[in-house]
Amino acid sequence: MADVPPFCVARLQKVTRQRLDKFNDLRGQRVKPGEFWDVIVITAADDRQKEAYELQIAEKIQRKELPLGVKYHVFADPPGYKIGNGGSTLWSLHHLKETYHDQMNEHKVLLIHAGGYSQRLPSASAMGKIFTALPLGSTVYQMLDLKLALYVDFPFHMKPGFLVTCADDIELYSISEGESLIFDRPGFTALAHPSSLLVGTTHGVFVFDESQETGCKELEYRKARCFLHKPAIEKMYSSGAVCTKRSNASGLFQDLDFSGSKISEFVYTDSTYYFDHGTATQLLVLFKEISPLDCEIDAYGDFLQALGPGATPDYFTYMKNVTKEAAKLVDVRKKLFVLLKGTPLTVILLNNSKFCHIGTTQEYLYHLTRDQKLRAELGFLSEAFSICAAQPPSSSAACIIHSLVAPSCRVAPGSVIEYSWCEAGVAINENCIISGCWLTSGLQVPPNTFMHSLCVRINGDLQFVTVVFGSGDDLKKSVGSPLETENLKFFGTSLKRCAELWGISVSSLDFSGDQSDLSLWNLRIFPLCSDLISSVTLSLKMLEHLSGKSSGHFVKGVQMVSMQEALSYKDITEMLKFRQHLYQEIDSNKPKETVGLKTKEF
């Protein structure tokens, strides 16, 4: 990637700090009418996730980490079918209408999609992606805090309506002095970021008329001709979505690899979008028509592809980007297309912006430890609200969040420790994620290890389980029968070979849940223990067998559970108690002069 012009980094760093400072002033304070969101909605996959989110919001309000006077809601998807974030949008509109009636039309609503079980970043599975810890702030920011900070200016320049966003992405942007992002137009208004064509294949892409010039200023408003959802590169060309960098915009497009050339190709990709209350009323009509929801609807692909004068019905039967095919989805797409056809799609081009996704272990590790531009722009710290006397890594590319790390510990570059306690002599090797763990003296964590401890309650008894995976393992990959389990890899090793190293037969490997959908997610290999320390120690012993340092059956007579089961048994209250214990230890030992965002230099 070409060097980023200092102008871009400095601009993003300055305006991001201003937004963080502005939000920090609102935390724990009662906001004035029009100063902030009227309603904040977080969607959840089910009632258990809803309960977990509500507990964490209540705790954050108690600790004065969120603005007061705002109505916070968590809406769980209805039981049964997966309905996708589009279905969650319709379900949330229904709940809001039932709650506020006609008063809903006066509200400015932030709708954050946070459902799902985060199989690609399992440290967020129990507590939720929107509560992912970030290395920022005196009491650490979570994704919810960062979202509210980055959008802190939006409500003031927005007509009543809905801003839709996801829980696991970050958008940074700068605009010229005196300009604002204004959400006051009918229909949909979407933010767009210049991206490489490769990035466009995994995002939504906007198409504009050829007569419209783009890329001259930091902020531009355009009418989109149509929207493509995760298109192939060939489709981007044939649809006219590909733009060229203008020679007079050399300070913009910072995240693109233009290889020093004066003109290069790019596309505008999606992130967050707004729709007004008139559009919400139309969507509620559709909700009543298609209820009960029984298929996955995408809030981006299925809503936005129906918009713009160039929208066509070609995508109705296209199911490549659909998690699960459903016969009713085609019918729903047709109804959406008819309902939304002719609805305006305004696009706000943010030509000096950055879109970061942190929904996978690899993305999380990269953006928190090795992405030096993002660390500078957001002010990410190597040590955030922690007591850390560990031996410093060879570079600053390690991250410790809300944790206690004793002297003589070694934390290697590229690793993240969150909500954990590491006693003397612990060694964390490269590219590890340690979450919610208590590691006793002398323990070593192998490179590329994901380790996460959960409190669970089974038959009324409090127990602990520590799940471990390779940071590159694919927890979503599944096979249809036990005979195919050798196609699943754990720490890069086939399950058949893992079973041999553990001193058991591959046929004795057990899976929870649907036996025609077997994966690492529902593999029962994690021991239940009566205390947190034993849980961590036993799971590390399992990894020693894989490395050949131990032999024989690594556990005998111990009940084993899968990650899937651990989540079904999770005890959020006990997990929060452990975090609160860490909080008290850190707070009582932290030098008071370091407290506060504004005292930290970015």
Side-chain angles (χ1 to χ4, degrees):
M1 184 171 287
D3 291 339
V4 177
F7 162 80
C8 294
V9 176
R11 286 277 294 155
L12 287 183
Q13 182 175 341
K14 178 182 177 182
V15 297
T16 301
R17 175 170 183 170
Q18 290 171 346
R19 291 174 189 133
L20 289 166
D21 285 347
K22 184 174 180 179
F23 174 69
N24 201 49
D25 289 339
L26 296 177
R27 297 176 96 187
Q29 304 299 314
R30 186 162 293 276
V31 293
K32 301 173 184 176
E35 184 180 31
F36 200 62
W37 303 98
D38 301 306
V39 178
I40 294 174
V41 174
I42 300 175
T43 64
D46 53 35
D47 286 333
R48 286 184 59 80
Q49 197 171 69
K50 175 180 186 288
E51 179 186 2
Y53 290 1
E54 288 176 336
L55 280 171
Q56 291 174 91
I57 290 171
E59 186 178 73
K60 290 177 74 67
I61 290 174
Q62 185 180 12
R63 290 217 296 244
K64 298 184 176 181
E65 295 175 3
L66 293 175
L68 307 180
V70 179
K71 298 177 179 68
Y72 296 93
H73 294 282
V74 181
F75 295 141
D77 289 350
Y81 293 92
K82 289 182 66 176
I83 61 174
N85 53 19
S88 296
T89 300
L90 298 175
W91 185 245
S92 297
L93 291 177
H94 168 70
H95 272 290
L96 290 171
K97 187 67 174 178
E98 291 287 305
T99 302
Y100 296 106
H101 306 289
D102 291 341
Q103 189 183 1
M104 184 181 84
N105 296 333
E106 303 169 8
H107 289 330
K108 300 174 183 179
V109 182
L110 176 62
L111 175 57
I112 305 173
H113 288 299
Y117 292 105
S118 191
Q119 289 175 268
R120 297 184 297 170
L121 183 62
S123 53
S125 295
M127 299 296 199
K129 290 179 284 189
I130 194 61
F131 298 100
T132 301
L134 299 170
L136 183 67
S138 53
T139 56
V140 295
Y141 268 46
Q142 295 171 319
M143 278 299 297
L144 176 57
D145 305 284
L146 185 58
K147 283 280 181 184
L148 297 181
L150 296 180
Y151 302 162
V152 71
D153 296 324
F154 289 4
F156 189 75
H157 303 286
M158 173 178 153
K159 280 188 174 181
F162 300 82
L163 189 79
V164 177
T165 189
C166 293
D168 54 6
D169 56 54
I170 298 170
E171 302 99 347
L172 304 182
Y173 68 94
S174 70
I175 55 180
S176 300
E177 193 75 27
E179 287 191 311
S180 301
L181 269 66
I182 300 174
F183 302 94
D184 65 350
R185 304 187 184 193
F188 287 77
T189 300
L191 302 184
H193 313 270
S195 304
S196 68
L197 273 61
L198 182 61
V199 168
T201 61
T202 57
H203 290 75
V205 173
F206 297 100
V207 181
F208 307 99
D209 289 330
E210 293 181 4
S211 60
Q212 294 181 324
E213 292 185 352
T214 60
C216 299
K217 301 183 296 184
E218 287 183 289
L219 175 67
E220 300 177 68
Y221 290 83
R222 293 287 182 266
K223 290 289 185 183
R225 179 155 54 88
C226 62
F227 174 86
L228 311 175
H229 188 55
K230 299 182 180 179
I233 290 178
E234 295 78 10
K235 179 70 172 177
M236 297 181 210
Y237 278 113
S238 63
S239 302
V242 180
C243 307
T244 56
K245 179 189 174 187
R246 296 177 61 82
S247 59
N248 65 342
S250 59
L252 306 179
F253 312 106
Q254 65 153 312
D255 276 339
L256 300 180
D257 183 6
F258 289 121
S259 305
S261 61
K262 292 184 178 180
I263 297 177
S264 286
E265 295 175 323
F266 66 96
V267 291
Y268 282 101
T269 55
D270 62 344
S271 62
T272 295
Y273 67 79
Y274 159 89
F275 59 86
D276 64 350
H277 279 287
T279 303
T281 299
Q282 289 181 283
L283 292 173
L284 280 171
V285 170
L286 175 72
F287 172 79
K288 291 179 181 179
E289 184 178 344
I290 66 175
S291 292
L293 300 175
D294 58 3
C295 63
E296 278 190 81
I297 306 170
D298 192 285
Y300 292 83
D302 293 330
F303 286 11
L304 301 186
Q305 282 191 106
L307 306 177
T312 65
D314 299 348
Y315 66 93
F316 287 175
T317 57
Y318 184 70
M319 298 292 171
K320 182 179 179 181
N321 297 317
V322 177
T323 305
K324 282 191 175 183
E325 291 188 38
K328 192 174 181 182
L329 179 57
V330 174
D331 185 51
V332 170
R333 284 178 170 175
K334 289 178 180 178
K335 292 179 185 298
L336 274 166
F337 188 81
V338 172
L339 179 79
L340 297 176
K341 184 66 175 174
T343 301
L345 174 57
T346 302
V347 182
I348 303 177
L349 310 185
L350 298 172
N351 288 320
N352 185 28
S353 65
K354 172 180 287 189
F355 176 90
C356 299
H357 186 261
I358 58 169
T360 71
T361 54
Q362 296 301 318
E363 291 170 340
Y364 180 76
L365 287 170
Y366 172 72
H367 288 307
L368 266 63
T369 65
R370 301 192 188 279
D371 186 349
Q372 295 303 317
K373 289 181 289 183
L374 185 67
R375 285 169 66 93
E377 290 153 354
L378 270 173
F380 279 173
L381 306 169
S382 295
E383 176 192 328
F385 192 67
S386 298
I387 301 295
C388 178
Q391 296 177 4
S394 57
S395 74
S396 62
C399 191
I400 300 169
I401 309 170
H402 197 120
S403 295
L404 292 164
V405 181
S408 74
C409 287
R410 183 176 65 84
V411 183
S415 289
V416 176
I417 302 174
E418 63 158 15
Y419 300 117
S420 295
W421 195 319
C422 299
E423 295 184 2
V426 167
I428 310 294
N429 282 287
E430 296 83 3
N431 304 319
C432 293
I433 297 175
I434 310 297
S435 176
C437 300
W438 189 337
L439 289 85
T440 52
S441 299
L443 289 178
Q444 293 197 28
V445 181
N448 306 305
T449 296
F450 170 88
M451 175 179 287
H452 177 47
S453 296
L454 298 97
C455 305
V456 297
R457 196 169 292 274
I458 302 177
N459 298 324
D461 295 329
L462 180 65
Q463 299 186 69
F464 299 85
V465 59
T466 297
V467 295
V468 288
F469 296 106
S471 56
D473 285 350
D474 184 354
L475 275 61
K476 285 191 168 186
K477 182 179 180 179
S478 64
V479 295
S481 74
L483 298 176
E484 301 175 81
T485 52
E486 63 182 59
N487 295 321
L488 299 177
K489 291 190 175 182
F490 181 71
F491 277 84
T493 303
S494 73
L495 277 188
K496 181 180 179 180
R497 177 57 178 157
C498 288
E500 293 172 356
L501 293 169
W502 291 331
I504 58 177
S505 65
V506 68
S507 61
S508 67
L509 290 174
D510 191 20
F511 294 83
S512 62
D514 185 354
Q515 296 300 295
S516 64
D517 188 21
L518 309 180
S519 66
L520 297 184
W521 186 255
N522 61 355
L523 176 62
R524 288 185 172 125
I525 55 170
F526 306 117
L528 282 172
C529 298
S530 59
D531 63 272
L532 179 55
I533 291 174
S534 299
S535 170
V536 171
T537 303
L538 267 182
S539 289
L540 282 176
K541 186 177 180 181
M542 176 174 64
L543 298 188
E544 287 182 3
H545 282 67
L546 293 186
S547 64
K549 295 179 181 179
S550 299
S551 59
H553 200 312
F554 72 98
V555 286
K556 290 184 178 180
V558 177
Q559 182 181 351
M560 313 289 267
V561 296
S562 65
M563 179 65 182
Q564 180 189 59
E565 286 178 309
L567 288 178
S568 69
Y569 298 137
K570 67 185 178 184
D571 190 321
I572 295 297
T573 301
E574 290 297 327
M575 293 177 72
L576 290 175
K577 281 182 182 178
F578 179 64
R579 292 186 179 187
Q580 181 63 22
H581 178 57
L582 291 173
Y583 179 92
Q584 292 169 348
E585 290 288 330
I586 295 166
D587 189 56
S588 61
N589 289 282
K590 200 73 175 171
K592 299 303 179 186
E593 62 270 16
T594 64
V595 175
L597 260 181
K598 292 186 178 181
T599 64
K600 293 285 188 183
E601 286 301 322
F602 279 41

